[in-house]
Amino acid sequence: MFTGIVEEIGRVESIKKGPKSLAITIRGKKIFSDLKIGDSVAVNGVCLTATSIGNGVFTADVMSESIKMTTFTNLKVHQPVNLERAMLANGRFGGHIVAGHVDGTGRIINCEQTDNAIIFTIEAPKSVMDYVIYKGSITIDGISLTIMRRTDSSFSVSIIPHTLSETILGSAHIGTEVNLETDIAGRYIRHFMNLGSKPTEEKPKKSMQSLLVENGFI
């Protein structure tokens, strides 16, 4: 579990391609203060497991599903990446609950300077937009951000100078593809609302209130 507060920008050292997988080696600094083999690291918002560590680099395996759902299809050696270690139970929760399970990719279609911030507008597929709500949270390349407006096919976020300087969004431009993870709470709620709604079942649909009570949310 992560918070979407990027700790540092790392760099891809090497990529070893398998038939349907990747083994990537990433260089960093700050995250190595306590990183151990088996620990989780969010790389551009993708939860990966460190399988080897040494000399300021760690290696992680990327399975076919992760490649298919993320921008890792176009990952390149020397490419900068956002890095965040899994959150500590006694740490500050600065962003929002981030699983590191990317829902899909989006594409920046507009960048607009507004006073001290830049507003990015990102085009996203319906499978992602269904969970995008005004003032809700979203993760872009592992960065926790707040949605300031939305349409049927896109949404906008405002990026402050600190975020631009501390993440790879500082070098993003129109056409850049990004990893997107929507708020996990919305996915669970929608799943519970759809329980029992298959055509083969004749059970009446339950109200959201009863589903939340039944599943221990309230």
Side-chain angles (χ1 to χ4, degrees), residues 6-32:
V6 173
E7 295 185 87
E8 67 171 314
I9 298 176
R11 193 168 298 275
V12 178
E13 287 281 295
S14 66
I15 302 173
K16 183 179 179 181
K17 295 185 178 181
K20 294 183 180 180
S21 64
L22 298 174
I24 61 175
T25 299
I26 296 172
R27 181 169 296 280
K29 292 181 180 178
K30 185 175 180 179
I31 66 167
F32 288 96

Side-chain angles (χ1 to χ4, degrees), residues 29-45:
K29 292 181 180 178
K30 185 175 180 179
I31 66 167
F32 288 96
S33 63
D34 65 352
L35 189 67
K36 303 181 297 297
I37 292 176
D39 283 354
S40 296
V41 180
V43 179
N44 282 0

